[in-house]
């Protein structure tokens, strides 16, 4: 089993597509549009021997470190217009209609709280429950909990882009947590949404999320979604999702030195 890091940002439309494709691969869901299943943008990755690691990051910090000033879709209006058109088209092919043809007036939203909650959940139910009881948190994410994490991440994207909701609002995130996390069967009794928001604002979670973004910077990432492999290679963009998940099978065929990243950047242990 090899590990692949999935670095994403809730303000990133292309991260949303990757989140949907990974969710379907993890849960066995199929595209309701059979005519589109063979298209590269609609194919699902083979995760049979891949452990996917969800790594939410804060793009403004990444942009600042890489010399970018703002979201490319904001800086270049024509590119932003095409990006929303392209994502709308791809999600429609994936059987997920409703993505806006143009950005909502509140885009890009404040994604800090959503990112912290996703990072916290990515450490596993036992970690969250230990935080909730003031115990000693220990990161561990089992397969069932990974599916819950993937569902929560997708639902945040869905609420933001399709529902037009403000994912910077604690009330929105509390509701999503209550529906998709608190009631899930993960072997532990998870806190409710209101408590999860409180935990996401504790120093240990704030620092974990911040350190996760710093790990992305150390990997020389410059955008989302990005995928990094055990041997330090990197793939940028939803269009490279399949290649990233198959990297361990084909890396011996590459005639260039492996390793784009300065290090493999394991998930921070708090």
């Amino acid at each position: 089993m090899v590990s692949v890091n999935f670095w994403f940002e809730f303000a990133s439309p292309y991260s949303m597509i990757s989140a949907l494709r990974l969710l379907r691969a993890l849960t066995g869901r199929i595209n309701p549009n059979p005519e589109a299943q063979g298209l590269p943008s609609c194919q699902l990755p083979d995760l049979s021997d891949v452990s996917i690691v969800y790594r939410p990051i804060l793009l403004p910090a990444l942009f600042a470190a890489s010399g970018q000033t703002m979201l490319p879709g904001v800086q270049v209006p024509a590119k932003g217009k095409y990006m929303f058109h392209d994502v709308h088209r791809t999600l429609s092919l994936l059987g997920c209609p409703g993505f806006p043809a143009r950005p909502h007036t509140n885009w890009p939203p404040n994604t800090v709280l959503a990112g912290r909650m996703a990072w916290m959940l990515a450490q596993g139910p036992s970690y969250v429950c230990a935080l909730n009881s003031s115990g000693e948190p220990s990161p561990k994410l089992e397969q069932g909990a990974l599916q819950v994490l993937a569902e929560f991440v997708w639902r945040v994207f869905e609420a933001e882009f399709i529902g037009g909701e403000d994912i910077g609002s604690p009330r929105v995130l509390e509701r999503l947590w209550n529906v998709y996390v608190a009631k899930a069967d993960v072997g532990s009794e998870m806190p409710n949404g209101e408590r999860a928001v409180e935990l996401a604002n504790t120093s240990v979670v704030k620092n974990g999320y911040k350190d996760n973004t710093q790990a992305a910077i150390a990997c020389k990432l410059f955008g989302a979604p990005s995928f990094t492999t055990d041997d330090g290679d990197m793939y940028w963009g939803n269009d490279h999702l399949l290649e990233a998940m198959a990297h361990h099978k084909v890396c011996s065929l590459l005639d260039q030195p492996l390793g784009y990243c300065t290090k493999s950047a394991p998930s921070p242990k708090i």
Side-chain angles (χ1 to χ4, degrees):
M1 186 73 72
V2 298
S3 296
V4 176
N5 293 291
F6 168 40
W7 308 84
F8 65 95
E9 226 278 12
F10 284 116
S12 163
Y14 286 110
S15 289
M16 181 181 182
I17 302 176
S18 292
L20 177 59
R21 295 169 73 191
L22 287 170
L23 171 63
R24 287 181 174 173
L26 287 166
T27 59
R29 302 176 196 176
I30 63 173
N31 187 348
N33 294 329
E35 303 88 348
Q37 288 183 14
L39 298 177
S41 60
C42 296
Q43 292 177 12
L44 302 184
D46 178 7
L47 301 181
S48 58
D49 53 358
V50 175
S51 175
I52 188 74
V53 183
Y54 277 64
R55 308 289 295 270
I57 55 177
L58 188 63
L59 268 184
L62 209 66
F63 286 164
S66 59
Q68 303 176 74
T69 57
M70 60 195 305
L71 286 168
V74 175
Q75 190 173 16
V76 183
K79 186 173 184 178
K81 181 179 180 180
Y82 173 78
M83 176 173 64
F84 272 74
H85 168 74
D86 187 36
V87 175
H88 172 90
R89 176 174 55 195
T90 301
L91 286 174
S92 296
L93 291 172
L94 282 164
C96 184
F99 189 88
R102 59 186 59 84
H104 293 295
T105 56
N106 62 346
W107 184 83
N110 184 332
T111 63
V112 172
L113 181 58
R116 289 175 185 164
M117 293 179 73
W119 180 88
M120 178 175 68
L121 186 57
Q123 310 313 299
S126 60
Y127 182 95
V128 177
C129 292
L131 282 179
N132 189 37
S133 61
S134 301
E136 185 67 28
S138 177
K140 183 179 181 181
L141 190 65
E142 303 292 351
Q143 182 66 22
L146 176 58
Q147 294 177 5
V148 172
L149 168 63
E151 188 79 50
F152 176 73
V153 168
W154 164 250
R155 296 301 177 177
V156 173
F157 276 119
E158 182 182 51
E160 173 192 358
F161 285 108
I162 296 178
E165 298 186 72
D166 178 12
I167 62 167
S169 165
R171 303 291 85 81
V172 171
L173 295 171
E174 286 174 8
R175 187 190 79 245
L176 295 174
W177 182 283
N178 282 333
V179 174
Y180 299 106
V181 179
K183 297 180 180 179
D185 183 10
V186 292
S188 303
E189 186 175 350
M190 298 290 278
N192 64 22
E194 182 177 2
R195 178 59 176 159
V197 167
E198 293 176 357
L199 294 174
N201 284 316
T202 60
S203 59
V204 65
V205 175
K206 287 181 178 179
N207 290 336
Y209 178 54
K210 179 180 178 180
D211 290 346
N212 200 53
T213 298
Q214 289 301 313
I217 293 172
C219 282
K220 299 185 288 189
L221 305 189
F222 50 84
S226 292
F227 308 91
T228 54
T229 61
D230 283 340
D231 59 8
D233 218 342
M234 188 271 276
Y235 293 83
W236 174 52
N238 170 68
D239 53 338
H240 284 299
L241 172 62
L242 298 181
E243 290 93 331
M245 300 305 149
H247 173 84
H248 62 290
K249 298 178 181 179
V250 301
C251 59
S252 61
L253 303 176
L254 304 178
D255 60 359
Q256 62 184 12
L258 292 177
Y260 170 89
C261 307
T262 56
K263 55 183 179 178
S264 58
S267 183
K269 300 296 190 294
I270 304 301

